[in-house]
Amino acid sequence: MASVSANFVCSRTSVRLPNQLWQMITSKSLRLATVGWGRTPGFPRLSSSRFQISCAAKKETVDKVCEIVRKQLALPADKEITPQTTFTDLGADSLDTVEIVMGLEEEFDITVQEDNQDNISCIQEAADLIEQLVANKS
């Protein structure tokens, strides 16, 4: 069984997915999965849980999240913010993070559930969640 060139990193381990599994994942609207090793050697099994399979958010969404975070934390315009920048890297505490999420909810007209708030630690994660919530809303 040939494997595709896509690699997923989970728990600091790179997992190479066989073509059949890759086709199964991309043909369905699968959002959350855990990759683990099943009984068949070399063939990962999927179960719904921690490993997220999704496309990266649009640049416009990431830029808007950066703008909101910059405003909420009163950051100077020359402070570099990338999609991988975490809120703690910017000096945000838990209250700041709650205020950031409230600003995002207001701007994008969405509601972020409390369990989803715990999964947001960087700009990219926030943008990905926003796009997912906006898509689910429509």
Side-chain angles (χ1 to χ4, degrees):
M1 189 179 309
S3 58
V4 296
S5 61
N7 286 326
F8 290 90
V9 178
C10 183
S11 301
R12 298 184 182 148
T13 304
S14 181
V15 178
R16 205 160 195 42
L17 298 176
N19 283 338
Q20 286 178 327
L21 182 59
W22 179 251
Q23 290 169 356
M24 180 180 73
I25 291 170
T26 57
S27 68
K28 308 237 185 265
S29 59
L30 183 64
R31 298 307 275 175
L32 298 175
T34 297
V35 175
W37 299 109
R39 293 181 183 237
T40 307
F43 193 82
R45 63 179 165 77
L46 291 177
S47 63
S48 185
S49 182
R50 294 170 283 178
F51 187 75
Q52 186 171 353
I53 300 171
S54 64
C55 298
K58 297 176 200 157
K59 183 178 180 339
E60 302 84 46
T61 305
V62 173
D63 291 344
K64 192 67 175 173
V65 170
C66 289
E67 179 185 319
I68 291 167
V69 169
R70 186 178 303 281
K71 178 181 170 187
Q72 290 291 334
L73 298 177
L75 297 173
D78 62 342
K79 175 71 174 171
E80 182 182 5
I81 301 177
T82 68
Q84 292 74 35
T85 303
T86 64
F87 299 147
T88 54
D89 290 343
L90 299 172
D93 60 19
S94 58
L95 181 57
D96 291 325
T97 303
V98 169
E99 290 176 355
I100 290 168
V101 171
M102 289 171 55
L104 296 172
E105 288 177 326
E106 185 176 317
E107 178 66 33
F108 291 96
D109 192 30
I110 56 170
T111 302
V112 178
Q113 301 299 320
E114 192 171 326
D115 57 333
N116 284 336
Q117 287 183 22
D118 297 336
N119 296 328
I120 302 173
S121 63
C122 71
I123 302 294
Q124 185 67 54
E125 290 172 356
D128 291 342
L129 179 61
I130 288 166
E131 288 201 352
Q132 180 184 1
L133 292 173
V134 168
N136 291 346
K137 187 177 175 182
S138 57

